Amino acid sequence: MSTGKPHKSRKANFPAVSGEVTKLINALRVKGTRSVCFFNNKGGVGKTTLVANLAAQLSLVWGLKILVVDADPQCNLTQYVLSDEDFIETYRDSDAIKSIFSVIHPLSIGKGYSATLPVRKIPSFGFDVVIGDPRLALKEDLLAQDWRDAKSGGTRGLRTTFVFSDLIKKATNYDIVFFDMGPSLGAINRSVLLAANHFVVPMSIDIFSIWAIKNIGDALKIWQRDLDNGLKLAEDPSELPKVTTGSRPSFLGYVTQQHKERLEKDGTRIVEAYNAISKTIPEQVKQNLNHLSIKNSDPHLGDIKHLASLAPKSQTLHTPMITVTLKGSYTGLRKQARTLYQNIGTHFLKNLVAGAR
Ligand SMILES: Nc1ncnc2c1ncn2[C@@H]1O[C@H](COP(=O)(O)OP(=O)(O)OP(=O)(O)O)[C@@H](O)[C@H]1O
Ligand SMILES: [Mg+2]
């Protein structure tokens, strides 16, 4: 676990960390490493952008030690944070890649958990990553098959299911471990969700995101019940403390993502349908995720404005939105991004501290 000092990834040119945030960081560090995954089975709702930019806020600006795991076989997060040269160099030789695949592959050939974490520093974002790997998709079958075994208490099945718990257990020198996930309710995501302390739901304001809230609530209920059965039936109970973290995922909150503002005849105005859906979200969250929520906390972590060209520009420059240094229209957008991630970051830390038992 890290000390109370800011990590050296913090850049000196950011304003001093406020008293409120310093208190939250100190309270968090007493609790040990926390793990948080970002999940929505709907695609393109801004998960990866949120994970990378929120993690940059926490590490670059506030000095927390963050590990980001790219658990999406699409590898969008990895592509975002690595420079183009690094990316090509890294993936040139598939045998030499140290990635999320190296974490899970030894299990499938009967070698147990990998001995070390393949961690890589990303100075431009301030955090470390376990880079993604398209071959992770090939392990979806392994995780699905072994899940059947896990549900009936098989040692092999439980070991495979808890592969991400093992990763988290090895990340003790980080304050927070983040997982970026692909948009599915498949076996990889099930293992990530069941391993993490908390999950955050990034969502766009549309009808499918409302469905997604329900899907997540329903899926987690069934998975947790099946896993609890498997743990009760474990053929080798002495193995369990080695594989489980003993944690149950709780709902840390949701982040809404605004659409591009629609122009109407009388000026710029958000359309009615958007407003109507937006109003139903708190109730839907309550109905479907209340039992997993953190007591006395507001789950709405923030509303992400459409930051226009700043988002794609930060992707091509491989830098967080808050450090895109271009001038012109980018000056105003960068300012908005700084306020936005500062507010979301503060709310996120508050809920994390409240939820850490
Ligand atoms: N605040 C924002 N302002 C403008 N564009 C944004 C913003 N956030 C994300 N985007 C853009 O929206 C697109 C989808 O975002 P992102 O890749 O983060 O979604 P995702 O949920 O991770 O997608 P997937 O489900 O494929 O993993 C990207 O092109 C990104 O640049
Ligand atoms: Mg993504």
Side-chain angles (χ1 to χ4, degrees), residues 61-137:
V61 186
W62 289 339
L64 280 156
K65 196 149 193 270
I66 313 277
L67 175 66
V68 180
V69 181
D70 188 352
D72 180 1
Q74 297 182 101
C75 306
N76 291 339
L77 183 124
T78 306
Q79 216 158 354
Y80 186 4
V81 303
L82 291 187
S83 70
D84 294 336
E85 301 76 38
D86 263 2
F87 189 80
I88 292 166
E89 193 49 46
T90 303
Y91 290 93
R92 193 189 296 279
D93 175 4
S94 62
D95 292 335
I97 304 171
K98 298 267 180 290
S99 68
I100 187 76
F101 186 76
S102 354
V103 171
I104 196 164
H105 186 59
L107 264 180
S108 57
I109 51 172
K111 288 195 171 169
Y113 296 134
S114 73
T116 51
L117 275 187
V119 161
R120 188 171 174 139
K121 290 206 172 311
I122 308 290
S124 55
F125 280 78
F127 50 71
D128 293 355
V129 286
V130 173
I131 61 169
D133 196 313
R135 294 170 298 174
L136 179 61

Side-chain angles (χ1 to χ4, degrees), residues 118-164:
V119 161
R120 188 171 174 139
K121 290 206 172 311
I122 308 290
S124 55
F125 280 78
F127 50 71
D128 293 355
V129 286
V130 173
I131 61 169
D133 196 313
R135 294 170 298 174
L136 179 61
L138 304 173
K139 300 297 173 195
E140 193 85 55
D141 277 351
L142 167 81
L143 284 159
Q145 275 164 22
D146 281 7
W147 173 243
R148 262 175 254 142
D149 186 46
K151 286 196 289 186
S152 52
T155 304
R156 179 195 157 107
L158 288 168
R159 284 185 77 89
T160 309
T161 299
F162 284 115
V163 60
F164 297 108

Side-chain angles (χ1 to χ4, degrees), residues 91-334:
Y91 290 93
R92 193 189 296 279
D93 175 4
S94 62
D95 292 335
I97 304 171
K98 298 267 180 290
S99 68
I100 187 76
F101 186 76
S102 354
V103 171
I104 196 164
H105 186 59
L107 264 180
S108 57
I109 51 172
K111 288 195 171 169
Y113 296 134
S114 73
T116 51
L117 275 187
V119 161
R120 188 171 174 139
K121 290 206 172 311
I122 308 290
S124 55
F125 280 78
F127 50 71
D128 293 355
V129 286
V130 173
I131 61 169
D133 196 313
R135 294 170 298 174
L136 179 61
L138 304 173
K139 300 297 173 195
E140 193 85 55
D141 277 351
L142 167 81
L143 284 159
Q145 275 164 22
D146 281 7
W147 173 243
R148 262 175 254 142
D149 186 46
K151 286 196 289 186
S152 52
T155 304
R156 179 195 157 107
L158 288 168
R159 284 185 77 89
T160 309
T161 299
F162 284 115
V163 60
F164 297 108
S165 303
D166 182 71
L167 185 161
I168 293 166
K169 279 185 177 182
K170 289 196 172 100
T172 47
N173 59 335
Y174 293 92
D175 294 307
I176 316 177
V177 181
F178 276 8
F179 286 87
D180 186 30
M181 300 158 80
S184 91
L185 280 164
I188 296 169
N189 286 350
R190 175 172 52 218
S191 278
V192 174
L193 271 158
L194 290 172
N197 296 127
H198 309 286
F199 65 99
V200 168
V201 182
M203 61 170 84
S204 55
I205 299 179
D206 60 29
I207 202 76
F208 286 141
S209 276
I210 301 281
W211 289 11
I213 299 168
K214 185 162 171 18
N215 290 345
I216 298 160
D218 290 349
L220 264 174
K221 211 180 277 171
I222 297 166
W223 292 342
Q224 193 69 60
R225 186 198 61 205
D226 288 350
L227 185 61
D228 287 347
N229 271 338
L231 292 171
K232 265 189 230 141
L233 297 169
E235 60 188 6
D236 181 4
S238 70
E239 184 75 5
L240 295 183
K242 289 184 219 148
V243 294
T244 73
T245 48
S247 111
R248 302 172 83 84
S250 70
F251 173 55
L252 199 72
Y254 65 98
V255 176
T256 42
Q257 168 93 28
Q258 289 183 13
H259 285 292
K260 236 181 189 159
E261 285 185 339
R262 307 268 168 88
L263 265 179
E264 292 195 346
K265 279 185 199 140
D266 54 349
T268 0
R269 196 143 53 81
I270 301 168
V271 290
E272 287 302 313
Y274 173 99
N275 269 338
I277 293 170
S278 180
K279 281 192 195 126
T280 66
I281 290 178
E283 187 50 38
Q284 290 292 337
V285 166
K286 215 171 173 181
Q287 269 179 29
N288 294 288
L289 296 171
N290 209 30
H291 61 294
L292 296 170
S293 296
I294 291 158
K295 287 206 173 59
N296 305 321
S297 71
D298 171 7
H300 191 194
L301 299 174
D303 187 37
I304 300 201
K305 230 182 110 51
H306 194 274
L307 290 163
S309 51
L310 184 62
K313 187 54 85 183
S314 88
Q315 279 168 6
T316 47
L317 294 174
H318 306 286
T319 180
M321 291 197 254
I322 55 171
T323 59
V324 168
T325 52
L326 299 171
K327 299 224 159 54
S329 62
Y330 292 107
T331 308
L333 289 167
R334 182 177 56 246

